[in-house]
Amino acid sequence: MVAHTTNLSTTAALANGQPLLVPLQCGCPSRSPSSYTPMHYQIGPGDTYWIISTTKLQNLMQYQAVERVNPTLVPTDLDVGTMVTFPIFCQCPAAADNATTLVTYVMHPRDAYVSVAAAFSVAYPQ
């Protein structure tokens, strides 16, 4: 899905800094004007909501939104391995219950299509 959305073959290499479009399913319950895609992330050593949202997820959300959608977690006391929902907000068309939202992601030298797809919890054909 990632390669198809960006119009690349699954073996093509991206140029340094080239945008990569990641398709996300955006749920729009009750025809709400906005909603979010829940991106699930497992906390690693040294991770904080701010670090994850600003570096690993390229400022796609503010860390305060992460706090709101994870009310049972204490942001200053996260255990390694804890699963956290990071909301990637989107706008929903008035006529649709679900829509696909495209997010631009800048590939880094260490990235691969598989790892980017996994980071955003979207399918990637092997």
Side-chain angles (χ1 to χ4, degrees):
M1 285 174 46
V2 172
H4 177 74
T5 302
T6 309
N7 198 25
L8 297 170
S9 75
T10 56
T11 59
L14 293 175
N16 192 16
Q18 179 181 352
L20 176 67
L21 301 176
V22 177
L24 300 174
Q25 272 307 115
C26 184
C28 304
S30 303
R31 305 224 191 283
S32 171
S34 65
S35 190
Y36 66 87
T37 295
M39 204 287 301
H40 304 290
Y41 179 86
Q42 188 172 26
I43 296 296
D47 281 343
T48 66
Y49 290 171
W50 184 81
I51 288 171
I52 297 162
S53 63
T54 59
T55 60
K56 296 179 180 180
L57 297 176
Q58 304 288 309
N59 290 306
L60 293 174
M61 83 286 302
Q62 296 179 332
Y63 72 89
Q64 296 91 339
V66 182
E67 293 175 351
R68 284 194 300 276
V69 300
N70 296 279
T72 61
L73 298 178
V74 178
T76 56
D77 188 26
L78 297 171
D79 292 325
V80 171
T82 300
M83 292 302 290
V84 177
T85 300
F86 283 78
I88 299 177
F89 291 95
C90 53
Q91 291 296 107
C92 301
D97 286 330
N98 286 298
T100 297
T101 299
L102 298 178
V103 173
T104 300
Y105 175 82
V106 177
M107 291 290 280
H108 298 276
R110 68 186 181 284
D111 288 338
Y113 292 139
V114 157
S115 63
V116 173
F120 287 96
S121 300
V122 296
Y124 181 79
Q126 298 279 334

